């Protein structure tokens, strides 16, 4: 009976030691998760900032290229400007392609 009680106490101590070991691993895992969350948050704000900058430059491109300098170009150049910078959406797509070095 005393030996059974001693075995149960040792088993409880082993369970407690295992729980403490797991908790320290969870602490490290939780630190990693918090770091990843902070990194994703920073990346999200960088994407928002890049989107706002692309939008601003797209508006400027449409205004300058379609309205300001239109009279000095030949027909072929004007067609290319209309294809790539005709609207704000087309201008944003063109700027994203330039930024990512796509075609």
């Amino acid at each position: 009976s005393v030996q059974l009680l001693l075995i149960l106490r040792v088993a409880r101590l082993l369970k407690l030691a295992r729980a403490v070991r797991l908790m320290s691993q969870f602490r490290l895992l939780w630190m990693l998760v918090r770091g990843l969350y902070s990194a994703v948050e920073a990346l999200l704000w960088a994407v928002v900032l890049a989107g706002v900058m692309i939008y601003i430059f797209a508006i400027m491109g449409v205004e300058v290229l379609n309205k300001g300098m239109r009279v000095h170009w030949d027909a072929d150049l004007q067609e290319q400007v209309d294809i790539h910078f005709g609207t704000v959406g087309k201008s944003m797509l063109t700027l994203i392609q330039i930024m990512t070095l796509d075609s």
Side-chain angles (χ1 to χ4, degrees), residues 10 13 22 24-26 28 31-32 34-35 40 43 55-56 62-63 68 75 78 84 96 101:
V10 170
L13 284 175
L22 289 176
S24 67
Q25 287 177 352
F26 280 133
L28 180 62
M31 239 171 40
L32 288 172
R34 282 193 331 217
V40 167
L43 284 174
Y55 182 69
I56 290 170
V62 168
E63 289 296 318
Q78 184 58 46
H84 296 289
I96 289 172
L101 301 175

Side-chain angles (χ1 to χ4, degrees), residues 8-42:
L8 288 175
R9 283 185 180 178
V10 170
R12 284 184 189 170
L13 284 175
L14 287 175
K15 281 184 180 181
L16 182 63
R18 182 176 168 225
V20 169
R21 181 179 56 92
L22 289 176
M23 286 178 60
S24 67
Q25 287 177 352
F26 280 133
R27 219 175 287 141
L28 180 62
L29 179 65
W30 181 246
M31 239 171 40
L32 288 172
V33 168
R34 282 193 331 217
L36 285 173
Y37 178 75
S38 297
V40 167
E41 187 178 9

Side-chain angles (χ1 to χ4, degrees), residues 3-103:
Q3 286 182 344
L4 182 60
L5 188 60
L6 185 62
I7 291 173
L8 288 175
R9 283 185 180 178
V10 170
R12 284 184 189 170
L13 284 175
L14 287 175
K15 281 184 180 181
L16 182 63
R18 182 176 168 225
V20 169
R21 181 179 56 92
L22 289 176
M23 286 178 60
S24 67
Q25 287 177 352
F26 280 133
R27 219 175 287 141
L28 180 62
L29 179 65
W30 181 246
M31 239 171 40
L32 288 172
V33 168
R34 282 193 331 217
L36 285 173
Y37 178 75
S38 297
V40 167
E41 187 178 9
L43 284 174
L44 177 68
W45 282 112
V47 168
V48 168
L49 181 63
V52 168
M53 294 298 293
I54 287 172
Y55 182 69
I56 290 170
F57 280 103
I59 291 172
M60 288 173 45
V62 168
E63 289 296 318
V64 169
L65 295 175
N66 283 330
K67 298 189 172 69
M69 303 173 76
R70 186 176 278 256
V71 288
H72 304 347
W73 295 337
D74 60 346
D76 186 43
L77 183 58
Q78 184 58 46
E79 180 183 350
Q80 289 298 317
V81 168
D82 287 338
I83 289 172
H84 296 289
F85 293 97
T87 64
V88 174
K90 289 179 184 178
S91 184
M92 285 179 73
L93 179 62
T94 303
L95 290 174
I96 289 172
Q97 286 178 333
I98 290 170
M99 186 176 73
T100 59
L101 301 175
D102 182 28
S103 51

